[in-house]
Amino acid sequence: MADQPPTVNSDIPENSKERFSLIKEQFVKKFGCEPIFFARAPGRVNLIGEHIDYCGYGVLPMAVEQDIVIAVATQDNGKLNLSNVDSQYVDFECDVAKYEINSSNPVWYNYFLCGFRGMSEMLGLTEPTGMQCMVHGLVPCNAGLSSSSALVCCAALATMQANGQQRSKKEIADMCASCERYIGTQGGGMDQAISFMAQMGTAKKIDFNPLREESVMLPSDVVFVVSNCCVEKNKAASSDFNTRVVECRLASQIIAKVKNLDWRQFKRFADLQRALGASLSEMVAIVGSVLHEGAYMKSEVCEVLGVSQEELAQTSLSANTLQVSEFQLRKRALHVYSEAGRVERFQEVCNTAPPGASGILGSLMNDSHTSCSVMYECSCTELDDLVKICVEAGAIGSRLTGAGWGGCAISMVPSSVVESFLAAVVEKYYQARGLGPRVGEALFATQPGSGAAVYLA
Ligand code: GLA
């Protein structure tokens, strides 16, 4: 499956026909010609395994129905023209061989350009074909459902199709994970992998280096409900995300140094674990004995590693974390190693379905949230409140999903109580905060959706 290219369908699915024809209408209005195909890439919700993909550990997401669709026509004038059905996103035009991706300004078309550039480079094209594109997104922005990666992936897929090429889902996903870093965020590869490798009806365990996927059947007596706390967080617009990536890197390097390994070789906790030949619980013990509580000042990190601040910038920091002066290392490391263990257990429970499986999965989700909130400090008051309300309303498990600091929670709810659950969350969270009008898009049950594909117009 993952070794195959994304499917090219000659028929548009019945339930998408109306939407696709509206996008086509906008396309014709804007460009005065008809699109030749549509590219589609979904957003995702991560069930468990937060902030561990960039540390080399497996995660367990599924695609959501909400997606990005781009209607495309090729043109031979060497131009890329981008327009969005939603007029709050301004039009953009550039030459196919001459444009800049401005990482200090995460405006919408820069994500398109990441996918466009990544695919052009992958195909070895210095002059990819010109394209006219009409974009329509239904993934809520800055909500932890991966709207940005869906756009990067969709743009890459559109560029591949427009240039008449084919690459496997796996290759494209790997490439999209790297090219999204043109925008400055040093994310892992979860979002891009699931956007391409998702399959209707099943969640996926995604592992990295090399990228691989396995289907994970979820219990049939529960429903997964997404709820947006309505605090927006654009991870490319602040240094919070990259600070976490750097903290993980520094923690790996310090432990490597203390264990007499060549610390410069270590950027990820998973590589460190492999080198030490330790289990995840042994790693938790090692972290406890090597890293102290509280913050490490930058000067202390330099002293332990035996480098100057300039050298540290080269070995460990990113452009937007050069100014960070203190790092939490122990808490971050404890989160990552324990969360990696929870993902393994979650997959095992799904696969073996022991008695009380949903209860075990729910506890793992609850523990994951606590660890994200307390140890990784990537939640916010509103999201913590929402998760608490979800559990009180009948969820067996609830946790923040995606990068955090705002955005969505994912809750596992027994099918038998979904209606009362939804009613209680509407009342206790949305109505209580004057967010009643947002309920329609902010609170919804979701099922594992399908991955990225092309549809001929
Ligand atoms: C973002 C990144 C992912 C992952 C999550 C947190 O979505 O793009 O790679 O790190 O945050 O789990």
Side-chain angles (χ1 to χ4, degrees), residues 44-372:
R44 60 99 190 96
V45 60
N46 189 21
L47 300 179
I48 195 156
E50 222 60 83
H51 286 278
I52 62 171
D53 58 348
Y54 52 78
C55 299
Y57 287 109
V59 292
L60 220 151
M62 62 191 197
V64 290
E65 194 189 332
Q66 288 83 342
D67 58 12
I68 307 278
V69 170
I70 309 181
V72 184
T74 52
Q75 54 183 356
D76 53 17
N77 59 358
K79 298 269 182 216
L80 180 61
N81 287 90
L82 306 180
S83 190
N84 199 307
V85 172
D86 184 341
S87 59
Q88 67 165 305
Y89 300 109
V90 295
D91 286 359
F92 177 78
E93 180 186 289
C94 67
D95 288 348
V96 291
K98 195 164 169 280
Y99 54 89
E100 265 175 40
I101 300 175
N102 185 349
S103 62
S104 59
N105 179 20
V107 68
W108 78 281
Y109 52 76
N110 276 320
Y111 293 96
F112 187 105
L113 291 175
C114 285
F116 181 73
R117 171 178 293 176
M119 182 53 78
S120 306
E121 286 173 354
M122 185 183 195
L123 300 175
L125 302 171
T126 41
E127 292 250 346
T129 183
M131 296 198 279
Q132 292 163 309
C133 299
M134 180 60 71
V135 179
H136 186 225
L138 288 179
V139 190
C141 290
N142 304 324
L145 299 179
S146 195
S147 58
S148 42
S149 302
L151 180 51
V152 173
C153 292
C154 202
L157 179 58
T159 307
M160 181 174 82
Q161 177 72 14
N163 287 280
Q165 302 274 336
Q166 288 205 322
R167 291 292 184 275
S168 72
K169 295 177 194 178
K170 211 191 263 187
E171 287 173 285
I172 313 173
D174 256 335
M175 178 279 286
C176 285
S178 315
C179 74
E180 191 166 332
R181 299 191 191 119
Y182 291 136
I183 207 89
T185 347
Q186 306 208 335
M190 162 168 68
D191 310 348
Q192 302 81 2
I194 191 66
S195 193
F196 283 102
M197 307 201 309
Q199 238 178 302
M200 185 85 87
T202 168
K204 292 282 180 184
K205 165 84 183 312
I206 308 273
D207 284 292
F208 303 96
N209 318 296
L211 182 59
R212 53 210 191 276
E213 53 89 15
E214 244 179 282
S215 293
V216 176
M217 289 315 284
L218 301 170
S220 55
D221 55 350
V222 297
V223 172
F224 286 89
V225 178
V226 174
S227 51
N228 190 344
C229 78
C230 300
V231 173
E232 291 200 3
K233 174 76 177 185
N234 181 332
K235 66 181 183 300
S238 93
S239 62
D240 292 336
F241 188 90
N242 281 359
T243 299
R244 294 294 176 277
V245 177
V246 162
E247 286 172 327
C248 291
R249 204 175 280 164
L250 292 175
S252 316
Q253 294 177 329
I254 289 183
I255 298 173
K257 167 94 187 191
V258 170
K259 296 286 175 188
N260 293 317
L261 295 166
D262 177 8
W263 66 268
R264 286 185 171 79
Q265 302 301 316
F266 292 89
K267 294 236 148 77
R268 298 173 321 160
F269 282 128
D271 300 333
L272 176 68
Q273 185 194 356
R274 211 165 298 125
L276 293 175
S279 67
L280 285 171
S281 47
E282 285 164 347
M283 286 312 298
V284 168
I286 291 174
V287 169
S289 68
V290 174
L291 299 174
H292 67 64
E293 283 182 15
Y296 281 67
M297 301 308 288
K298 196 174 187 174
S299 51
E300 183 185 356
V301 172
C302 290
E303 201 184 304
V304 177
L305 294 176
V307 290
S308 65
Q309 299 220 355
E310 291 69 37
E311 213 179 328
L312 190 76
Q314 297 297 320
T315 58
S316 318
L317 306 182
S318 69
N320 68 348
T321 53
L322 293 172
Q323 305 308 323
V324 178
S325 59
E326 50 179 79
F327 303 95
Q328 291 287 345
L329 303 187
R330 182 184 161 107
K331 289 203 259 189
R332 309 304 187 233
L334 290 175
H335 165 75
V336 171
Y337 285 122
S338 65
E339 183 78 352
R342 282 186 284 272
V343 175
E344 282 184 359
R345 180 85 182 112
F346 196 97
Q347 181 183 21
E348 180 188 308
V349 171
C350 287
N351 288 345
T352 55
S358 326
I360 306 173
L361 299 179
S363 310
L364 290 167
M365 290 176 74
N366 292 334
D367 291 349
S368 168
H369 182 76
T370 307
S371 182
C372 284

